[in-house]
Amino acid sequence: MPLIIPSNRLASTGYTIDQSLRFDAAATVNLIDSSVGAGDTRKKNTFSVWLKRGIITTQQYIGAYRHNATNYQYWLFKADDTLEFTDVSGGSVIGKLVTTQVFRDPSAWYNLTFVWDTANDTPAQRMIIYVNGQRVTSFSTETYPSINTDSGGAGRASSDIRIGTYDATGAFFDGYMTNIVYIDNGALDASSFGETNENGIWVPIDVSGLGFGARGFYVDGRDASDLGDDESGNSNDFSSGLSAHDQVSDSPTNNFATFNSVYADVTGFTDVTFKNGNLQADATSSQFDHTVSTFNLPKSGKWYFEHYLGGRYTGFGICIVGQEASISSGYSFGSLSTAQGFGFQDNVVYNGNSATVTFGGQSSLGDILNCAFDVDNNKVFLGINGTYYAADNGNDGNPSAGTNPTVTTSFSLSTNDIILGFYFSTADGTSFVNFGQEGTFGGNKTAGGNSDANGIGNFFNTVPTSYLALCSKNVGS
């Protein structure tokens, strides 16, 4: 799907962010600063955040400065995936911007900056939205506040600042956030939070030296034991419903693959429910619902990831792009011919609805499927809980040595566009994927702490020698 604006897919910069906070819209987890106290002013503030969306087409609050049910300021993704910036005082809207642009790319990091400055003489300068350094100028709703109007919520005594929610009752954000910054009594433009690098990509910069104001804060999730810690020096710390495993390695300076919540193809078997920033997936039918990764298989190198199986009917497969019409509900990717791809399910590799490799016993909930691809040699190694299986049904596969692969493809992995597919059934439990960004599979395992050949990632099992995680630092910027 094309992006409306340039996205931050593969950002590389001298300044790095090593982590982000993962939010799950299906759970009542959020950051809420319940401390009280008036800000420096109710006429001027700036809120900026780097975020990556998980599920889409649902209303989700990025955050809010809420005094009560009739006085608030919020930042919101609407159900149609447009972006809204609204301020309400005494139950009346005093300022509101709704973009015509939509934001539907779950593979991209966005930097959003919202400016409130009613002291400005020019009406159109009193509310501003920047996306990836560009000022948004096209709106379906465009209402500006009168000069010197006080915000209904921002800067007001006894107001709560909330991140990932509005009032802790619903419409929670799903995805990732980092470098969450609020400037009290400051109207800053996007250049305070990012810059354009030599490749024309908007990338983050160090914000620690900004003047944050009395109620300002800077949260980046660097401390897994205190994910709401304010790094601004103001000690405006947040209470948090997030867990330590909600600190993940996915960030604007190292973007990891996830399940793709916008994937759709001609098969029609793609109705999957996503959670936990698109690292968790559940089927909606007893047939094989499927999705793909946000990254295709790179066309060179060695790549590794892990799939937490929901049970016997959780699967994985690959497919040459354009051949998806051959995927069926009964065997999913296993219905592909050997010239199109293959499917794995219940410890069996299938082609054309027939078993070609059998590993042994049935898959169980919580088994870890190890997926290792030697692209240059057309070799695929699949393992269960660290034991790799060969094409002759033996358990002597060795991706580190390059011997006894599970599948040697008849087509070139290095010249074809290859999707990485995953499939699920309601007959099974929940499934997870780990491309290296989160090694506990949503808290269901104890992280193994295993990194790839470049020292990147947190994998449950040992990463084969010379294999890499699917992330932007490895794929290239």
Side-chain angles (χ1 to χ4, degrees):
M1 176 176 291
L3 291 172
I4 302 302
I5 59 169
S7 71
N8 193 20
R9 291 175 181 267
L10 304 175
S12 178
T13 176
Y15 172 73
T16 61
I17 301 174
D18 295 326
Q19 73 292 311
S20 63
L21 302 173
R22 177 181 53 188
F23 294 79
D24 180 10
T28 55
V29 292
N30 45 69
L31 294 171
I32 303 175
D33 182 4
S34 297
S35 60
V36 297
D40 289 334
T41 179
R42 294 167 59 188
K43 296 178 173 60
K44 188 177 295 189
N45 66 67
T46 306
F47 177 77
S48 182
V49 61
W50 285 83
L51 61 79
K52 175 177 167 179
R53 300 197 69 186
I55 60 174
I56 61 169
T57 63
T58 61
Q59 180 169 294
Q60 296 177 29
Y61 285 95
I62 301 165
Y65 206 145
R66 185 177 185 275
H67 180 64
N68 55 32
T70 58
N71 294 277
Y72 48 83
Q73 182 181 109
Y74 63 68
W75 317 282
L76 167 76
F77 284 114
K78 294 172 67 68
D80 62 0
D81 299 311
T82 56
L83 190 60
E84 179 180 340
F85 176 20
T86 290
D87 197 289
V88 171
S89 181
S92 298
V93 173
I94 57 175
K96 184 173 185 176
L97 299 177
V98 179
T99 67
T100 57
Q101 297 169 325
V102 295
F103 303 90
R104 293 176 176 154
D105 188 351
S107 71
W109 277 90
Y110 298 102
N111 175 217
L112 308 179
T113 301
F114 304 88
V115 183
W116 172 264
D117 184 11
T118 65
N120 199 293
D121 290 336
T122 304
Q125 300 294 328
R126 295 173 193 158
M127 292 181 74
I128 299 173
I129 301 175
Y130 296 95
V131 179
N132 290 352
Q134 300 179 16
R135 180 172 177 175
V136 179
T137 57
S138 179
F139 300 100
S140 60
T141 300
E142 191 172 8
T143 303
Y144 294 101
S146 301
I147 192 166
N148 290 323
T149 301
D150 285 338
S151 167
R156 191 168 185 166
S158 302
S159 290
D160 290 340
I161 301 176
R162 304 166 184 262
I163 305 299
T165 183
Y166 163 72
D167 63 359
T169 62
F172 298 109
F173 178 75
D174 188 281
Y176 308 87
M177 294 191 202
T178 190
N179 277 28
I180 309 166
V181 176
Y182 182 79
I183 306 295
D184 183 12
N185 195 18
L188 307 185
D189 63 24
S191 65
S192 295
F193 311 100
E195 64 184 4
T196 303
N197 70 6
E198 65 275 10
N199 297 317
I201 298 172
W202 186 253
V203 296
I205 60 175
D206 186 358
V207 298
S208 60
L210 294 175
F212 296 93
R215 292 284 283 147
F217 57 83
Y218 163 33
V219 174
D220 62 4
R222 69 183 69 176
D223 183 354
S225 64
D226 186 8
L227 292 177
D229 189 35
D230 173 23
E231 307 294 341
S232 74
N234 284 340
S235 298
N236 289 327
D237 297 338
F238 283 74
S239 60
S240 173
L242 303 175
S243 301
H245 62 256
D246 291 314
Q247 182 198 65
V248 299
S249 299
D250 208 331
S251 82
T253 58
N254 194 15
N255 188 10
F256 282 78
T258 67
F259 289 137
N260 190 344
S261 57
V262 299
Y263 170 73
D265 63 29
V266 296
T267 67
F269 308 115
T270 55
D271 190 11
V272 179
T273 299
F274 298 97
K275 300 176 183 177
N276 269 316
N278 289 348
L279 295 181
Q280 176 181 340
D282 293 289
T284 59
S285 73
S286 59
Q287 298 297 319
F288 285 125
D289 298 314
H290 71 265
T291 189
V292 301
S293 163
T294 53
F295 286 24
N296 282 354
L297 183 67
K299 292 188 176 181
S300 64
K302 298 179 178 181
W303 306 94
Y304 175 80
F305 57 90
E306 299 171 336
H307 186 20
Y308 176 104
L309 301 179
R312 292 182 58 189
Y313 303 103
T314 305
F316 165 74
I318 67 172
C319 179
I320 297 175
V321 172
Q323 301 296 312
E324 294 93 333
S326 297
I327 298 172
S328 72
S329 63
Y331 281 84
S332 197
F333 285 74
S335 53
L336 298 169
S337 72
T338 56
Q340 297 171 312
F342 69 83
F344 164 90
Q345 177 254 318
D346 198 16
N347 287 1
V348 178
V349 175
Y350 292 92
N351 275 116
N353 301 342
S354 298
T356 58
V357 183
T358 301
F359 290 6
Q362 295 176 344
S363 302
S364 299
L365 173 66
D367 280 345
I368 304 300
L369 176 66
N370 313 108
C371 303
F373 287 81
D374 181 351
V375 173
D376 299 322
N377 294 298
N378 288 339
K379 295 179 180 179
V380 183
F381 297 84
L382 298 180
I384 297 291
N385 302 324
T387 297
Y388 290 86
Y389 292 83
D392 64 359
N393 303 324
N395 62 356
D396 55 352
N398 190 333
S400 294
T403 56
N404 303 323
T406 313
V407 177
T408 301
T409 59
S410 61
F411 53 89
S412 171
L413 297 177
S414 59
T415 59
N416 287 288
D417 294 319
I418 307 296
I419 60 174
L420 303 171
F422 305 84
Y423 43 108
F424 325 93
S425 169
T426 53
D428 275 354
T430 291
S431 301
F432 298 84
V433 70
N434 176 25
F435 291 101
Q437 66 269 66
E438 202 280 281
T440 75
F441 303 98
N444 286 281
K445 296 282 190 179
T446 299
N450 298 293
S451 59
D452 71 7
N454 288 336
I456 294 173
N458 184 358
F459 290 100
F460 185 74
N461 289 118
T462 300
V463 181
T465 303
S466 301
Y467 282 73
L468 301 176
L470 273 172
C471 60
S472 59
K473 281 189 176 180
N474 288 334
V475 173
S477 58

Short mmCIF file of all heavy atoms in Angstrom, two decimals, residues 184-218:
data_model
loop_
_atom_site.label_atom_id
_atom_site.label_comp_id
_atom_site.label_asym_id
_atom_site.label_seq_id
_atom_site.Cartn_x
_atom_site.Cartn_y
_atom_site.Cartn_z
N ASP A 184 5.86 22.32 27.98
CA ASP A 184 4.94 23.25 28.65
C ASP A 184 5.44 24.67 28.39
O ASP A 184 6.61 25.00 28.64
CB ASP A 184 4.93 22.93 30.15
CG ASP A 184 3.96 23.78 30.94
OD1 ASP A 184 3.14 24.47 30.32
OD2 ASP A 184 4.04 23.75 32.18
N ASN A 185 4.54 25.53 27.86
CA ASN A 185 4.87 26.93 27.56
C ASN A 185 5.95 27.04 26.49
O ASN A 185 6.86 27.86 26.58
CB ASN A 185 5.33 27.68 28.82
CG ASN A 185 5.32 29.18 28.63
OD1 ASN A 185 4.67 29.69 27.70
ND2 ASN A 185 6.02 29.91 29.48
N GLY A 186 5.80 26.22 25.44
CA GLY A 186 6.71 26.31 24.30
C GLY A 186 6.02 25.85 23.04
O GLY A 186 5.39 24.79 23.02
N ALA A 187 6.12 26.64 21.98
CA ALA A 187 5.57 26.28 20.67
C ALA A 187 6.75 25.98 19.76
O ALA A 187 7.32 26.87 19.13
CB ALA A 187 4.71 27.41 20.11
N LEU A 188 7.13 24.71 19.69
CA LEU A 188 8.31 24.29 18.93
C LEU A 188 7.88 23.64 17.62
O LEU A 188 6.86 22.95 17.56
CB LEU A 188 9.13 23.29 19.74
CG LEU A 188 9.54 23.72 21.16
CD1 LEU A 188 10.46 22.67 21.76
CD2 LEU A 188 10.21 25.08 21.15
N ASP A 189 8.69 23.84 16.58
CA ASP A 189 8.37 23.16 15.33
C ASP A 189 9.05 21.80 15.29
O ASP A 189 9.76 21.39 16.23
CB ASP A 189 8.75 24.02 14.12
CG ASP A 189 10.24 24.31 14.02
OD1 ASP A 189 11.05 23.53 14.56
OD2 ASP A 189 10.61 25.31 13.37
N ALA A 190 8.87 21.07 14.21
CA ALA A 190 9.33 19.69 14.12
C ALA A 190 10.85 19.56 14.19
O ALA A 190 11.37 18.50 14.56
CB ALA A 190 8.82 19.05 12.84
N SER A 191 11.57 20.62 13.85
CA SER A 191 13.03 20.55 13.84
C SER A 191 13.61 20.38 15.24
O SER A 191 14.80 20.08 15.38
CB SER A 191 13.61 21.80 13.19
OG SER A 191 13.33 22.96 13.95
N SER A 192 12.80 20.56 16.27
CA SER A 192 13.26 20.30 17.64
C SER A 192 13.29 18.82 17.97
O SER A 192 13.87 18.41 18.98
CB SER A 192 12.35 21.02 18.64
OG SER A 192 12.43 22.42 18.51
N PHE A 193 12.68 17.99 17.10
CA PHE A 193 12.52 16.57 17.40
C PHE A 193 13.10 15.65 16.33
O PHE A 193 13.20 14.44 16.54
CB PHE A 193 11.04 16.26 17.60
CG PHE A 193 10.38 17.21 18.55
CD1 PHE A 193 9.60 18.27 18.09
CD2 PHE A 193 10.56 17.09 19.92
CE1 PHE A 193 9.00 19.16 18.96
CE2 PHE A 193 9.96 17.98 20.80
CZ PHE A 193 9.19 19.02 20.32
N GLY A 194 13.47 16.20 15.19
CA GLY A 194 14.02 15.38 14.12
C GLY A 194 14.72 16.22 13.09
O GLY A 194 14.72 17.46 13.14
N GLU A 195 15.35 15.53 12.13
CA GLU A 195 16.04 16.20 11.04
C GLU A 195 16.05 15.28 9.83
O GLU A 195 15.83 14.07 9.94
CB GLU A 195 17.48 16.55 11.44
CG GLU A 195 18.35 15.33 11.71
CD GLU A 195 19.75 15.68 12.19
OE1 GLU A 195 20.01 16.88 12.39
OE2 GLU A 195 20.56 14.76 12.38
N THR A 196 16.31 15.85 8.66
CA THR A 196 16.41 15.07 7.43
C THR A 196 17.85 14.64 7.24
O THR A 196 18.76 15.48 7.24
CB THR A 196 15.94 15.89 6.23
OG1 THR A 196 14.59 16.32 6.44
CG2 THR A 196 15.99 15.06 4.96
N ASN A 197 18.07 13.32 7.09
CA ASN A 197 19.45 12.84 6.92
C ASN A 197 19.87 12.92 5.46
O ASN A 197 19.13 13.42 4.60
CB ASN A 197 19.61 11.43 7.50
CG ASN A 197 18.90 10.35 6.68
OD1 ASN A 197 18.35 10.60 5.61
ND2 ASN A 197 18.91 9.14 7.19
N GLU A 198 21.07 12.41 5.18
CA GLU A 198 21.63 12.55 3.83
C GLU A 198 20.85 11.76 2.79
O GLU A 198 21.00 12.00 1.58
CB GLU A 198 23.09 12.10 3.84
CG GLU A 198 23.33 10.63 4.15
CD GLU A 198 23.38 10.35 5.65
OE1 GLU A 198 23.05 11.25 6.45
OE2 GLU A 198 23.76 9.21 6.02
N ASN A 199 20.01 10.82 3.24
CA ASN A 199 19.19 10.04 2.31
C ASN A 199 17.78 10.61 2.17
O ASN A 199 16.92 9.99 1.55
CB ASN A 199 19.11 8.59 2.79
CG ASN A 199 20.47 7.91 2.80
OD1 ASN A 199 21.25 8.07 1.87
ND2 ASN A 199 20.76 7.18 3.86
N GLY A 200 17.54 11.78 2.76
CA GLY A 200 16.23 12.41 2.67
C GLY A 200 15.20 11.82 3.59
O GLY A 200 13.99 12.04 3.40
N ILE A 201 15.63 11.07 4.62
CA ILE A 201 14.72 10.43 5.57
C ILE A 201 14.68 11.25 6.85
O ILE A 201 15.72 11.70 7.35
CB ILE A 201 15.18 8.99 5.87
CG1 ILE A 201 15.15 8.14 4.59
CG2 ILE A 201 14.31 8.36 6.95
CD1 ILE A 201 15.76 6.77 4.77
N TRP A 202 13.49 11.45 7.38
CA TRP A 202 13.32 12.17 8.64
C TRP A 202 13.71 11.23 9.79
O TRP A 202 13.16 10.14 9.94
CB TRP A 202 11.87 12.61 8.80
CG TRP A 202 11.62 13.48 9.99
CD1 TRP A 202 10.97 13.14 11.13
CD2 TRP A 202 11.99 14.86 10.16
NE1 TRP A 202 10.91 14.20 12.01
CE2 TRP A 202 11.53 15.28 11.43
CE3 TRP A 202 12.66 15.77 9.35
CZ2 TRP A 202 11.72 16.56 11.91
CZ3 TRP A 202 12.86 17.06 9.82
CH2 TRP A 202 12.40 17.45 11.08
N VAL A 203 14.68 11.64 10.60
CA VAL A 203 15.23 10.79 11.66
C VAL A 203 15.21 11.56 12.98
O VAL A 203 15.20 12.80 13.00
CB VAL A 203 16.67 10.34 11.32
CG1 VAL A 203 16.68 9.47 10.08
CG2 VAL A 203 17.60 11.54 11.15
N PRO A 204 15.23 10.85 14.11
CA PRO A 204 15.19 11.53 15.41
C PRO A 204 16.51 12.18 15.77
O PRO A 204 17.57 11.79 15.27
CB PRO A 204 14.84 10.40 16.39
CG PRO A 204 15.31 9.16 15.72
CD PRO A 204 15.15 9.39 14.24
N ILE A 205 16.43 13.16 16.66
CA ILE A 205 17.61 13.81 17.21
C ILE A 205 17.51 13.78 18.74
O ILE A 205 16.47 13.47 19.30
CB ILE A 205 17.76 15.26 16.71
CG1 ILE A 205 16.54 16.11 17.11
CG2 ILE A 205 17.99 15.30 15.20
CD1 ILE A 205 16.67 17.58 16.75
N ASP A 206 18.60 14.11 19.38
CA ASP A 206 18.64 14.14 20.84
C ASP A 206 17.79 15.30 21.34
O ASP A 206 18.02 16.46 20.97
CB ASP A 206 20.09 14.31 21.29
CG ASP A 206 20.26 14.20 22.80
OD1 ASP A 206 19.26 14.03 23.51
OD2 ASP A 206 21.41 14.32 23.26
N VAL A 207 16.80 15.01 22.20
CA VAL A 207 15.91 16.05 22.72
C VAL A 207 16.19 16.37 24.18
O VAL A 207 15.46 17.17 24.78
CB VAL A 207 14.43 15.63 22.56
CG1 VAL A 207 14.07 15.46 21.09
CG2 VAL A 207 14.13 14.36 23.35
N SER A 208 17.22 15.76 24.75
CA SER A 208 17.44 15.89 26.20
C SER A 208 17.75 17.31 26.62
O SER A 208 17.53 17.68 27.79
CB SER A 208 18.57 14.96 26.65
OG SER A 208 19.79 15.28 25.98
N GLY A 209 18.22 18.16 25.71
CA GLY A 209 18.58 19.52 26.07
C GLY A 209 17.48 20.54 25.90
O GLY A 209 17.70 21.74 26.12
N LEU A 210 16.29 20.10 25.54
CA LEU A 210 15.18 21.03 25.36
C LEU A 210 14.73 21.63 26.70
O LEU A 210 14.87 21.00 27.75
CB LEU A 210 13.99 20.32 24.70
CG LEU A 210 14.17 19.83 23.26
CD1 LEU A 210 12.93 19.06 22.82
CD2 LEU A 210 14.43 21.00 22.32
N GLY A 211 14.16 22.82 26.63
CA GLY A 211 13.50 23.38 27.81
C GLY A 211 12.09 22.86 27.88
O GLY A 211 11.25 23.19 27.04
N PHE A 212 11.78 22.04 28.89
CA PHE A 212 10.50 21.32 28.92
C PHE A 212 9.39 22.07 29.63
O PHE A 212 8.22 21.78 29.42
CB PHE A 212 10.70 19.95 29.58
CG PHE A 212 11.61 19.04 28.80
CD1 PHE A 212 12.97 18.99 29.08
CD2 PHE A 212 11.12 18.26 27.77
CE1 PHE A 212 13.81 18.16 28.37
CE2 PHE A 212 11.95 17.42 27.05
CZ PHE A 212 13.31 17.38 27.35
N GLY A 213 9.73 23.07 30.47
CA GLY A 213 8.72 23.76 31.25
C GLY A 213 8.29 22.93 32.44
O GLY A 213 8.60 21.75 32.57
N ALA A 214 7.51 23.56 33.33
CA ALA A 214 7.19 22.95 34.62
C ALA A 214 6.50 21.60 34.50
O ALA A 214 6.79 20.67 35.25
CB ALA A 214 6.32 23.91 35.44
N ARG A 215 5.55 21.47 33.57
CA ARG A 215 4.80 20.23 33.43
C ARG A 215 5.30 19.38 32.27
O ARG A 215 4.68 18.38 31.90
CB ARG A 215 3.32 20.53 33.26
CG ARG A 215 2.67 21.10 34.51
CD ARG A 215 2.41 20.03 35.55
NE ARG A 215 1.24 19.24 35.22
CZ ARG A 215 1.09 17.95 35.50
NH1 ARG A 215 2.05 17.29 36.10
NH2 ARG A 215 -0.02 17.31 35.19
N GLY A 216 6.42 19.80 31.68
CA GLY A 216 6.96 19.06 30.55
C GLY A 216 7.56 17.72 30.95
O GLY A 216 7.90 17.50 32.11
N PHE A 217 7.70 16.82 29.97
CA PHE A 217 8.28 15.51 30.24
C PHE A 217 8.92 14.94 28.98
O PHE A 217 8.69 15.43 27.87
CB PHE A 217 7.23 14.53 30.78
CG PHE A 217 6.04 14.32 29.88
CD1 PHE A 217 6.08 13.44 28.82
CD2 PHE A 217 4.86 15.02 30.12
CE1 PHE A 217 4.98 13.25 28.00
CE2 PHE A 217 3.75 14.83 29.31
CZ PHE A 217 3.81 13.95 28.24
N TYR A 218 9.72 13.93 29.20
CA TYR A 218 10.40 13.21 28.11
C TYR A 218 10.48 11.75 28.52
O TYR A 218 11.21 11.39 29.44
CB TYR A 218 11.78 13.84 27.89
CG TYR A 218 12.79 13.03 27.10
CD1 TYR A 218 12.41 12.18 26.06
CD2 TYR A 218 14.15 13.15 27.39
CE1 TYR A 218 13.35 11.46 25.34
CE2 TYR A 218 15.10 12.44 26.67
CZ TYR A 218 14.69 11.59 25.66
OH TYR A 218 15.64 10.88 24.94
#
